[in-house]
């Protein structure tokens, strides 16, 4: 960019940014007024924080959301949208990518400042005290750790400061990807402590809002950065816009699905979309979302071809308008977050407030099979894993390559086991009965991973994914290869480390306060279930994995490792069967059903399940190892036969014959030496 055009570019960027910010503020103000969120509420016995807090809190929250999105967008642009440079062994961020990482440092600092302001206003709002009193007194330091919203915002401040500091020096794709992951994590705490955590269907709402936020940020922030790239006249705009378009399509689908789930979770009656303030704001957000879909379709159909024809302003004009609509949508979302959803028609029971539904009737095998429940996270996970696997198989078949049917069968059997323990009556009874929870644990930790590992998903991905179009760049295939060869994978995939994680984490979870904390929080519960699955997948990857791994054990070593490890789960079951005091007593006392047996007896039953269940995966793994060992020997024999045939065709001795001759020669020499010694004696 020349020095003459720099001021014009800066003016264009500032003008576009000001227009987007103005659109967000206008829609936010309208939403706050129409939703009644800024009206003074006179409640006997409760003080009002004042007009500054009523207006300052949503405005600072909107700035926090916008700066967070643009921070994520800048990192996405650097790592994924712009081609990398350097090639194998010396891969690095492009010059523009490095500039966006440095910009992310300043953006993350602004994000931290907006989050800090939001924290002050939140404490003021909760305590009903003016901001000046909160800042001058000790309330801020006293209540930050006691309020869930305060703790969440403090986490955002800390994480965004870390991103700001590390982005000053990050220069490699791996460092950029790590900062992006950290920034995405920093997005989650505030929305997960809002309406979603207290919704009637909070298990669905929490997962929905997490997916919603993680899809919105790269979509909105990515468009902003692509627009700035276009206004600046930088190179590679066509590549950047094409990649953003493909990413935006998936973000749009995830945002739409998760948003619909959130609306249903908070407004089970469709008429509330028209009869409540919250519903009308939600309806307005749906309309803006539909408009964004039209712009996305227009973008793919018209502006991408215009970029290919070297007409960048066609894309730039649309991007600026779309950014303004996106900003307005985010402003409306903040107004929606400040508007209370309709209160439930019936008063919630204490148990429903904890688990999201009323206590089910007495457990029976029929009810375990028929009382289905919907777990949004695991349903989405199974859908994504199944869809991606099928897409890989279809791509191989269209290319004329084969893929073993039994691997596909194994993969979908594994996905079926996930559905069985997360969507049926097992999932409904698991929060209230430790014995049913232990069935979930054993299946996800010791059965599901066996079949998924046998499906060889990494091998399928490496065969199905295409190499990066641009030489030296990293596409999905290159990123997957880089992860497989990383030091981190080399450490955790070491048989000793994988075994320790598989065994020790179970004892560390159940015999510490972590278990009760995970049961009380839906995200903690999801994290616990994902850990069961991930630790099992890591261990069985070492044992029976077909996919490439940093270290492969010989088959006798695998069998030995299996027989050394499995008794620890039996010891765990025996430890549970000998409990004198219940685990997570406060939780199970709060949700204990009247028809159930005693808590300690149910936990003894869970121990018996853990003790007896280990025989099933041991038998299945032995079958897999036996077949793998047999077929591996067959492959080795065929390989040796082919070598011998090639050597015979050339009139040469095969390598095996050479080795045998050398071995016989050594034996003959030893025999001659022994004979000479005898003669001397």
């Amino acid at each position: 960019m020349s020095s003459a055009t720099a001021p014009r570019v800066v003016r264009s960027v500032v003008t576009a940014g000001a227009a987007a910010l103005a659109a967000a503020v206008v829609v936010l103000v309208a939403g706050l007024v129409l939703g009644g969120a800024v009206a003074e509420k006179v409640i006997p016995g409760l003080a009002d924080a004042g007009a500054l807090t009523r207006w300052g809190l949503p405005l600072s929250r909107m700035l926090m959301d916008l700066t967070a999105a643009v921070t994520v967008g800048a990192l996405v642009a650097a790592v994924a949208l712009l081609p990398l440079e350097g090639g194998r062994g010396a891969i690095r961020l492009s010059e523009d990518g490095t500039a966006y990482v440095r910009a992310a440092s300043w953006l993350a600092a602004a994000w931290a400042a907006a989050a800090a302001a939001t924290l002050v206003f939140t404490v003021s709002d909760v305590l009903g005290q003016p901001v000046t009193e909160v800042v001058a007194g000790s309330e801020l330091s006293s209540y930050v750790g006691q309020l869930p919203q305060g703790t969440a915002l403090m986490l955002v401040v800390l994480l965004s400061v870390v991103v700001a500091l590390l982005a000053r020096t990050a220069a490699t794709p791996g460092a950029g990807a790590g900062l992006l992951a950290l920034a995405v994590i920093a997005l989650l705490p505030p929305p997960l402590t809002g309406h979603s955590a207290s919704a009637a269907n909070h298990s669905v709402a929490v997962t929905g809002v997490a997916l919603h936020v993680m899809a919105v940020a790269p979509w909105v922030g990515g468009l902003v950065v692509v627009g700035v790239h276009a206004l600046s006249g930088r190179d590679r705009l066509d590549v950047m816009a094409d990649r953003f378009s493909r990413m935006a399509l998936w973000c749009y689908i995830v945002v739409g699905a998760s948003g619909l789930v959130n609306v249903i979770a908070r407004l089970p009656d469709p008429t509330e979309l028209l009869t409540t303030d919250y519903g009308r704001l939600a309806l307005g957000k749906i309309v803006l979302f539909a408009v964004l879909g039209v712009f996305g379709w227009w973008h793919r159909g018209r502006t991408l071809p215009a970029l290919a024809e070297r007409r960048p302003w066609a894309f730039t004009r649309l991007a600026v308008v779309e950014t303004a609509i996106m900003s307005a949508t985010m402003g409306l979302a903040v107004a929606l977050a400040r508007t209370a959803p309709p209160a439930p028609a019936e008063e919630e029971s204490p148990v429903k407030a904890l688990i999201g539904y009323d206590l089910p009737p007495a457990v029976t095998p029929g009810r375990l099979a028929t009382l289905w429940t919907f777990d949004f996270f695991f349903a989405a996970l199974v859908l994504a894993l199944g869809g991606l696997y099928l897409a890989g198989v279809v791509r191989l078949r269209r290319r004329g390559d084969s893929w073993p049917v039994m691997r596909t069968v194994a993969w979908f059997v594994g996905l079926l086991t996930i559905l069985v323990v997360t969507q049926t009556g097992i999932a409904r009874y698991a929060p209230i009965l430790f014995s049913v929870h232990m069935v979930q644990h054993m299946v996800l930790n010791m059965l599901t991973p066996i079949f998924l590992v046998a499906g060889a998903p990494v091998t399928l991905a490496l065969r199905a994914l295409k190499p990066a179009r641009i030489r030296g760049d990293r596409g999905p295939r290159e990123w997957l290869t880089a992860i497989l060869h990383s030091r981190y994978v080399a450490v955790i995939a070491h048989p000793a480390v994988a075994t320790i994680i598989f065994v020790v984490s179970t004892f560390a979870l159940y015999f510490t306060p972590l278990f009760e904390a995970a049961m009380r929080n839906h995200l903690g519960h999801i994290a616990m279930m994902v850990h069961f699955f991930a630790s099992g997948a890591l261990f069985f990857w070492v044992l029976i994995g077909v996919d490439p791994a940093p270290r492969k054990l010989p088959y006798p070593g695998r069998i030995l490792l299996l027989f050394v490890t499995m008794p620890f789960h039996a010891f765990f079951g025996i430890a549970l069967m000998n409990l004198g005091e219940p685990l997570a007593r406060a939780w199970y006392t709060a949700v204990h059903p009247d028809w159930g047996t005693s808590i300690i007896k149910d936990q003894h039953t869970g121990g018996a399940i853990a003790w007896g269940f280990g025989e099933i995966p041991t038998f299945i793994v032995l079958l897999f190892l036996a077949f793998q060992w047999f077929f591996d020997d067959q492959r080795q024999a065929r390989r040796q036969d082919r070598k011998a045939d090639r050597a015979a065709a050339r009139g040469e001795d095969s390598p095996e014959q050479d080795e045998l001759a050398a071995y016989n020669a050594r034996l003959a020499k030893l025999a001659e030496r022994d004979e000479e010694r005898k003669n001397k004696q």
Side-chain angles (χ1 to χ4, degrees):
M1 186 192 314
S2 66
S3 58
T5 59
R8 179 176 60 82
V9 170
V10 171
R11 285 195 300 271
S12 300
V13 172
V14 171
T15 301
L21 183 60
V25 171
V26 168
V27 174
L28 172 65
V29 171
L32 291 173
V33 173
L34 293 175
V38 291
E40 182 178 1
K41 297 176 178 62
V42 180
I43 302 175
L46 295 178
D48 181 69
L52 179 59
T53 297
R54 291 197 301 272
W55 287 100
L57 178 56
L59 286 170
S60 63
R61 178 64 181 269
M62 184 191 69
L63 290 174
M64 181 182 74
D65 291 346
L66 288 174
T67 51
V70 181
T71 301
V72 171
L75 294 171
V76 167
V79 174
L81 300 185
L82 284 167
L84 303 177
E85 297 177 351
R88 182 177 297 179
I91 195 164
R92 62 182 184 276
L93 296 173
S94 64
E95 183 179 349
D96 288 336
T98 303
Y100 287 135
V101 172
R102 299 295 177 265
S105 175
W106 293 105
L107 291 166
W111 180 10
T118 305
L119 173 60
V120 173
F121 284 121
T122 298
V123 174
S124 170
D125 182 60
V126 172
L127 298 182
Q129 296 181 3
V131 173
T132 53
E133 295 183 10
V134 170
V135 174
S138 61
E139 288 83 359
L140 189 60
S141 59
S142 301
Y143 283 89
V144 164
Q146 300 179 24
L147 298 172
Q149 301 95 323
T151 304
L153 289 167
M154 183 55 68
L155 285 173
V156 175
V157 173
L158 294 175
L159 291 174
S160 55
V161 167
V162 171
V163 172
L165 293 175
L166 296 181
R168 299 300 302 167
T169 57
T172 64
L179 289 174
L180 176 59
L182 192 63
V184 170
I185 293 172
L187 294 170
L188 297 177
L192 296 182
T193 54
H195 294 156
S196 59
S198 58
N201 301 313
H202 63 269
S203 63
V204 175
V206 165
T207 304
V209 77
L211 291 174
H212 196 77
V213 169
M214 288 192 294
V216 164
W219 183 24
V220 176
L223 180 63
V224 170
V225 177
V226 174
V228 170
H229 198 86
L231 289 170
S232 304
R234 296 177 182 269
D235 295 332
R236 301 287 186 141
L237 177 60
D238 53 342
V239 176
M240 198 175 184
D242 179 65
R243 292 182 177 183
F244 170 76
S245 177
R246 282 180 277 145
M247 182 191 74
L249 175 61
W250 289 107
C251 289
Y252 186 84
I253 293 172
V254 174
V255 169
S258 58
L260 181 62
V261 167
N262 289 333
V263 170
I264 293 174
R266 295 179 178 88
L267 302 174
D269 185 357
T271 60
E272 292 178 332
L273 283 171
L274 300 174
T275 59
T276 64
D277 292 335
Y278 187 90
R280 286 188 285 269
L281 291 178
L283 190 60
K285 187 179 175 184
I286 292 172
V287 171
L288 288 177
F289 179 75
V291 172
L292 287 172
V294 173
F295 272 87
W297 170 80
W298 195 358
H299 166 75
R300 288 188 66 87
R302 303 222 179 155
T303 63
L304 291 182
L307 282 178
E309 297 171 2
R310 306 293 181 183
R311 291 189 288 120
W313 282 102
F315 169 81
T316 305
R317 287 193 296 269
L318 183 64
V320 170
V321 175
E322 190 175 358
T323 300
I325 296 176
M326 278 187 171
S327 300
T329 306
M330 293 190 73
L332 186 58
V334 173
L336 189 65
R338 289 293 298 160
T339 305
E346 299 179 359
E347 186 176 352
E348 283 188 350
S349 64
V351 172
K352 188 174 183 179
L354 289 173
I355 63 176
Y357 50 86
D358 291 319
L359 278 174
V363 62
T364 64
R367 286 170 179 156
L368 287 174
T370 58
L371 283 181
W372 284 65
T373 187
F374 179 64
D375 189 304
F376 186 29
F377 176 83
F378 286 102
L381 179 66
V382 169
L383 183 63
L385 293 178
L388 290 172
Y389 197 93
L390 277 180
V393 173
V394 169
R395 175 173 286 185
L396 287 183
R397 294 294 172 85
R398 287 178 176 175
R399 202 167 62 196
D401 295 338
S402 61
W403 181 255
V405 174
M406 292 309 298
R407 289 184 183 178
T408 305
V409 171
W411 180 261
F412 282 95
V413 168
L415 295 183
L416 179 63
T417 61
I418 296 177
L419 290 177
V420 167
V421 297
T422 61
Q423 310 294 321
T424 65
I426 294 175
R428 187 172 290 270
Y429 284 95
I432 61 175
L433 295 176
F434 182 82
S435 54
V436 181
H437 163 82
M438 189 52 59
V439 172
Q440 268 190 331
H441 175 171
M442 290 293 112
V443 170
L444 290 175
N445 186 236
M446 302 179 68
L447 191 62
T448 300
I450 296 175
F451 293 101
L452 294 185
V453 166
V458 177
T459 302
L460 175 63
L462 291 173
R463 290 183 58 187
L465 291 171
K466 298 178 181 178
R469 296 179 182 178
I470 301 174
R471 186 177 180 82
D473 192 18
R474 271 187 186 173
R477 191 178 191 280
E478 288 75 18
W479 275 109
L480 180 58
T481 303
I483 292 171
L484 286 174
H485 290 88
S486 66
R487 294 181 181 178
Y488 172 75
V489 172
V491 171
I492 67 166
H494 190 283
V497 176
T499 303
I500 291 172
I501 294 173
F502 184 63
V503 172
V504 174
S505 60
T506 300
F507 289 88
L509 172 69
Y510 285 99
F511 295 107
T512 65
L514 283 174
F515 177 56
E516 182 165 358
M519 295 298 290
R520 288 188 173 277
N521 183 280
H522 182 64
L523 282 183
H525 186 260
I526 289 178
M528 175 174 62
M529 306 280 276
V530 169
H531 172 76
F532 292 156
F533 166 69
S535 62
L538 180 64
F539 177 72
F540 289 112
W541 179 29
V542 171
L543 278 184
I544 61 171
V546 180
D547 292 325
R551 186 188 297 267
K552 288 282 189 180
L553 284 175
Y555 285 100
R558 299 184 193 188
I559 294 175
L560 178 62
L561 181 62
L562 175 66
F563 282 111
V564 167
T565 303
M566 286 306 172
F568 284 99
H569 277 79
F571 298 154
F572 168 69
I574 293 171
L576 291 177
M577 293 168 65
N578 288 282
L579 284 175
E581 294 291 332
L583 301 175
R585 177 193 289 271
W587 169 260
Y588 283 108
T589 300
V591 300
H592 186 64
D594 296 335
W595 44 261
T597 184
S598 67
I599 297 174
I600 191 68
K601 187 175 181 181
D602 179 62
Q603 294 190 354
H604 289 167
T605 303
I609 292 171
W611 176 64
F613 194 91
E615 304 297 330
I616 300 173
T618 301
F619 176 72
I620 295 174
V621 170
L622 283 175
L623 285 179
F624 273 108
L625 285 175
F627 279 107
Q628 287 179 347
W629 199 347
F630 172 76
F631 287 120
D632 185 63
D633 284 345
Q634 293 292 315
R635 285 192 297 270
Q636 294 289 345
R638 287 194 297 268
R639 188 178 298 117
Q640 301 299 338
D641 290 342
R642 286 193 296 268
K643 287 182 180 179
D645 291 341
R646 287 193 296 268
R650 294 191 300 267
E652 302 172 355
D653 290 335
S654 67
E656 289 74 19
Q657 290 174 334
D658 292 341
E659 291 176 5
L660 181 59
Y663 178 67
N664 289 333
R666 283 197 299 272
L667 291 179
K669 281 187 177 182
L670 290 174
E672 290 176 3
R673 191 177 301 167
D674 290 341
E675 188 66 27
E676 289 176 359
R677 288 177 180 173
K678 289 180 181 179
N679 293 334
K680 289 179 180 180
Q681 293 177 354

